[in-house]
Amino acid sequence: MAGERTAVGGRRNAGSVLGVDLLVVVGDAQPSARLTARARRTVHLQPGQSLLTLLADLRGHIPRRIGVLGAGDEAGPVAR
């Protein structure tokens, strides 16, 4: 994993690969095993599903890094 791109500014940082605290998977997207392994927690949402439940659930443990995976038109509103 040395020399791999990290999530911080696209810099190369030997020996350090950052993950995410929360991975939000929107719709039918299938995260790779590697991506899932690098996420502390994974949540699946359906397109158009209210984010209120997710936000309420996160109040107890606010994540610092969040990744959103899905088709652009489905995942875009969640990522914003």
Side-chain angles (χ1 to χ4, degrees):
M1 290 188 203
E4 189 168 328
R5 288 199 178 266
T6 65
V8 180
R11 295 184 203 137
R12 292 184 184 267
N13 191 358
S16 176
V17 178
L18 296 177
V20 293
D21 297 318
L22 175 66
L23 176 62
V24 180
V25 181
V26 182
D28 295 330
Q30 296 295 321
S32 67
R34 182 171 181 234
L35 183 59
T36 303
R38 291 175 51 197
R40 286 186 151 191
R41 183 169 175 228
T42 302
V43 175
H44 294 268
L45 292 176
Q46 293 305 314
Q49 181 178 344
S50 174
L51 298 177
L52 294 177
T53 305
L54 175 61
L55 293 175
D57 187 41
L58 294 178
R59 289 180 60 150
H61 44 85
I62 299 173
R64 291 183 181 203
R65 293 183 303 261
I66 300 173
V68 179
L69 176 69
D73 58 338
E74 296 174 347
V78 176
R80 287 185 206 134

